Amino acid sequence: MSATIIVGVDGSEAGNRALSYAKRLATLIGSECELQLICVVEWSPYTFQTTEENALRKKQKHIETQNAQDRVINPALESLKEAGIKASGTVKFGKAATILNNIAVEHNAEQIVVARSTEQGLSARVFGSVTASLVMSASVPVTVVS
């Protein structure tokens, strides 16, 4: 029986701790475990922009995708490959909690591993953190690494 673990990564110190924990879990579970690394770039489409503005945003989205792939996903995948852990990774755009949960459901994941949010201040109290939102809405267990 295989086990899939979704790992939210962003290249930060906290994200690296979540990745390390997921790596440890995969080692304990064994060869039937696969980690799916997901880097979510918060992005919302604006429908009120001009055609030129949308074209510029599309170009910027492509640049940000490539940057996240090169700086976050690829180095993490290389590290996991060297450790003999099955893994895949992708960059997505949108609301992180929603994206992580949807991917977990789509792939019938055992759990989601994320880092504790570093958001503080008024915006975190008013809008909530990604981590808190994910914990409250996830369809699968969520492990929060501090």
Side-chain angles (χ1 to χ4, degrees):
M1 184 166 124
S2 64
T4 301
I5 299 174
I6 306 300
V7 187
V9 295
D10 62 2
S12 69
E13 179 74 25
N16 291 340
R17 287 193 305 273
L19 179 60
S20 292
Y21 181 77
K23 184 177 177 180
R24 182 170 182 270
L25 283 178
T27 302
L28 292 171
I29 293 168
S31 64
E32 293 301 314
C33 184
E34 179 182 353
L35 301 182
Q36 290 191 1
L37 312 183
I38 310 297
C39 179
V40 180
V41 177
E42 294 284 329
W43 190 273
S44 61
Y46 296 112
T47 57
F48 55 84
Q49 292 181 322
T50 66
T51 303
E52 293 81 16
E53 289 171 323
N54 283 331
L56 183 61
R57 277 182 58 84
K58 185 175 182 181
K59 182 179 179 181
Q60 183 62 33
K61 188 175 181 181
H62 176 74
I63 290 168
E64 288 195 33
T65 299
Q66 194 59 53
N67 285 343
Q69 187 72 39
D70 293 342
R71 294 179 183 166
V72 179
I73 298 293
N74 291 345
L77 289 176
E78 186 62 34
S79 168
L80 293 169
K81 181 181 177 183
E82 289 173 5
I85 297 171
K86 285 192 280 187
S88 60
T90 190
V91 178
K92 297 287 187 180
F93 286 88
K95 297 201 176 294
T98 302
I99 297 283
L100 291 169
N101 186 55
N102 288 348
I103 291 172
V105 169
E106 178 183 332
H107 294 279
N108 199 28
E110 298 298 317
Q111 68 175 296
I112 302 169
V113 175
V114 293
R116 185 182 62 170
S117 175
T118 57
E119 294 179 24
Q120 296 180 16
L122 181 60
S123 65
R125 287 193 301 275
V126 172
F127 299 110
S129 72
V130 169
T131 305
S133 178
L134 181 61
V135 168
M136 297 299 289
S137 65
S139 302
V140 301
V142 176
T143 299
V144 180
V145 179
S146 60

